[in-house]
Amino acid sequence: MSNRFDEMAESSRTSAQAGSGTPAPKGSRIPVNSGSPTPVNIGEIARLAGVSRSTVSYALSGKRPISERTRLRIQQVIDEHGFQPNASARALAHGRTQTIGVVFPPAGRRYTDMQLDFLSAVIDAAAAHDHDVLLSRSGEGWDEAFNRLVGQRRVDGAILMEIRVQDSRVDRLLGTGFPFVTMGRTADPDALSWVDMDWTELTARCVRHLAELGHHRLALVNRPRELFAVGYEAAHRAVDGFRTAVAELGLTGEIHHCGDDAASGEAVVRELLDHDPLTTGIVVLNEAALVGLYRGLDRAGLSVPGDVSVTGVVGARWAETVTPMMTGFDNSSDVMGRLAVDLLLARLEGSSTAKPRQHLLTPELTVRASTGPAQTRS
């Protein structure tokens, strides 16, 4: 059976004797006079090369051997006329679309800067391997968008974002044999290939850093409450790390959820100071709110780090945007994006029974200017 290729519209050909009014001799090859080749479809290639459509199909797909002489004749026609198969044809011929999916439902109305950095890194890494990226905003359920992406095999594999501790998307895909990797870990991650930050350990390290500076009254500014309520993995692991470290060190700690925007950052400062006006250390896991958090502290008459020290896990360029620049663990979205693509392509090239691979990232603390010795406030 021949492959389906893009049925490109044939451009009107100008005869070799254009202007003279004399038609080209019957059966003669019409030369390409313009600066670019004339696009043709697979049937036209077969006619110009003097072979069958199926022979052209075999030459393009490599599924059956053809003579070198015939292959070269077909290739000459392709080179002269600029034929290119579309994505559907490549998938039919080779069983691959050369496209990976990213299933990335945003928590709010827009993507955060960190999320956009990650998507950019995925696109760049995929392009380096001659792959395209198809983004799906489908949510937790097996909705129509998710079914089109995966069920109809529009992509060769997928990267799943916004992972939840109990994630129905992961559970369903595990039973299909469809290749995928996750950005984050479920409660039972051993059977999956994934990339993740060690949110539990990194949050605990933030608490320890503040404790070493003499801070005893701390607050965690976490991701939005809606994400936590549906089981967003990073938000839950951060809470675990914060609570464990606070308890082990005998500190006082409050947990606050914050929306992904500057206004929410300002609001959370008012909230945490209402709960404990003597808070001197803040751990931030929401970089989208960081500028607003700094603004809220300033409006409350509190300086950083003179009155309140701020640390957390955010992208380096956002930690360096605020003044003073924030001490913390850098969330390297570009590294995570590249690793996720590498894991997925490895799954596509390897056996379906190959052992899953994982990357758990624990960057080093970058000391900047936002943390200092605790000062007693009344």
Side-chain angles (χ1 to χ4, degrees):
M1 178 182 295
S2 62
N3 296 309
R4 290 186 298 112
F5 289 89
D6 202 10
E7 297 295 327
M8 306 177 69
E10 296 185 39
S11 301
S12 298
R13 291 190 176 84
T14 303
S15 68
Q17 290 78 20
S20 66
T22 305
K26 185 176 181 180
S28 65
R29 174 174 293 181
I30 301 173
V32 179
N33 294 319
S34 63
S36 59
T38 303
V40 293
N41 58 39
I42 192 172
E44 188 69 3
I45 292 173
R47 186 184 68 79
L48 291 171
V51 298
S52 67
R53 290 174 62 97
S54 60
T55 299
V56 176
S57 174
Y58 299 148
L60 292 169
S61 68
K63 287 190 173 182
R64 292 190 185 180
I66 62 173
S67 72
E68 183 66 9
R69 182 178 178 181
T70 300
R71 188 191 67 77
L72 289 174
R73 187 161 69 249
I74 292 170
Q75 189 61 52
Q76 180 182 2
V77 173
I78 289 173
D79 292 342
E80 290 180 357
H81 294 272
F83 172 81
Q84 287 192 5
N86 66 11
S88 297
R90 289 196 302 268
L92 194 63
H94 304 291
R96 294 275 289 274
T97 66
Q98 294 295 108
T99 303
I100 63 176
V102 178
V103 182
F104 199 164
R109 294 186 302 273
R110 64 179 182 85
Y111 291 115
T112 67
D113 293 317
M114 184 189 75
Q115 292 168 336
L116 291 174
D117 285 347
F118 172 82
L119 288 174
S120 178
V122 167
I123 292 169
D124 288 345
H129 294 278
D130 196 29
H131 279 66
D132 296 318
V133 175
L134 179 62
L135 176 64
S136 172
R137 292 166 59 93
S138 58
E140 169 70 5
W142 194 266
D143 56 24
E144 279 303 310
F146 195 76
N147 186 58
R148 286 196 302 272
L149 187 75
V150 176
Q152 297 178 17
R153 295 291 174 130
R154 293 190 174 185
V155 295
D156 299 322
I159 300 171
L160 269 59
M161 304 294 302
E162 302 294 327
I163 294 299
R164 306 178 184 191
V165 177
Q166 303 294 334
D167 201 304
S168 66
R169 299 169 303 168
V170 172
D171 294 338
R172 288 175 180 255
L173 282 182
L174 280 173
T176 66
F178 182 80
F180 72 98
V181 301
T182 64
M183 282 293 298
R185 293 164 289 157
T186 63
D188 185 18
D190 292 343
L192 307 175
S193 288
W194 47 261
V195 181
D196 201 6
M197 301 282 286
D198 192 343
W199 299 102
T200 303
E201 176 60 21
L202 294 177
T203 307
R205 289 184 188 179
C206 289
V207 171
R208 295 186 200 116
H209 173 66
L210 293 172
E212 289 169 358
L213 293 170
H215 295 275
H216 296 281
R217 307 178 81 90
L218 311 181
L220 171 67
V221 176
N222 204 349
R223 296 297 304 280
R225 187 178 303 278
E226 296 78 12
L227 276 181
F228 187 83
V230 297
Y232 181 56
E233 174 258 344
H236 278 261
R237 296 189 192 278
V239 166
D240 291 343
F242 183 80
R243 284 176 172 165
T244 299
V246 163
E248 288 177 350
L249 297 170
L251 310 176
T252 298
E254 295 275 349
I255 297 172
H256 301 270
H257 296 280
C258 181
D260 292 329
D261 55 77
S264 297
E266 288 192 62
V268 83
V269 170
R270 295 192 294 269
E271 178 184 300
L272 68 86
L273 291 178
D274 284 343
H275 279 78
D276 186 358
L278 301 182
T279 298
T280 63
I282 300 177
V283 179
V284 182
L285 276 87
N286 191 325
E287 65 186 14
L290 187 59
V291 170
L293 187 144
Y294 267 58
R295 188 185 303 151
L297 289 172
D298 181 65
R299 290 183 175 179
L302 301 174
S303 66
V304 178
D307 297 306
V308 178
S309 285
V310 181
T311 186
V313 186
V314 303
R317 70 187 180 98
W318 304 112
E320 295 172 355
T321 298
V322 292
T323 303
M325 292 189 291
M326 198 193 88
T327 292
F329 298 93
D330 298 338
N331 187 345
S332 302
S333 300
D334 55 342
V335 174
M336 298 178 77
R338 176 178 56 79
L339 289 174
V341 171
D342 288 347
L343 284 181
L344 182 57
L345 294 181
R347 288 193 66 80
L348 293 175
E349 296 298 334
S351 168
S352 59
T353 60
K355 183 179 179 180
R357 295 165 52 200
Q358 296 103 15
H359 294 288
L360 186 61
L361 307 183
T362 52
E364 295 297 319
L365 179 71
T366 300
V367 178
R368 297 186 179 95
S370 67
T371 53
Q375 303 295 322
T376 301
R377 292 206 323 270
S378 58

